[in-house]
Amino acid sequence: MTAMPAGVWNVDASLIARYPLELGTLCIAPYILGGGGVQTDGTTVGSWFAGGGLEWRVTPRIGIFGEGRYIWAEDTESANARLGLRFVF
């Protein structure tokens, strides 16, 4: 059996509620999210998270988003923020 490489591994699933708004030529979509998963670094613990964000559709197929989430994992709590691009296929 091959050993897993050192590091922190995270697998999770999200439920997202999104509300698209078209304000003239501006298309934005605020959303909230929540979910849970498993985090492991040799010891496996369950994790839960909640957060929200905003997506701006630059074109019908390309969006720019920013989101934040708060994460609870057994004895630790943390927060993170993400910025990125979304491509609709």
Side-chain angles (χ1 to χ4, degrees):
M1 179 181 263
T2 305
M4 195 179 271
V8 176
W9 293 81
N10 187 38
V11 177
D12 63 35
S14 302
L15 180 61
I16 301 170
R18 187 174 176 272
Y19 190 75
L21 300 168
E22 289 188 29
L23 308 169
T25 59
L26 179 65
C27 296
I28 60 171
Y31 59 92
I32 58 173
L33 57 95
V38 175
Q39 202 171 293
T40 183
D41 61 357
T43 303
T44 302
V45 297
S47 63
W48 296 96
F49 59 88
L54 182 69
E55 179 181 359
W56 168 47
R57 284 286 169 97
V58 180
T59 72
R61 302 256 181 231
I62 300 172
I64 298 172
F65 74 92
E67 74 178 35
R69 54 173 80 183
Y70 196 80
I71 306 155
W72 298 269
E74 201 148 304
D75 294 335
T76 62
E77 296 180 19
S78 63
N80 70 25
R82 300 182 332 153
L83 295 172
L85 292 173
R86 275 203 182 101
F87 298 97
V88 179
F89 296 101

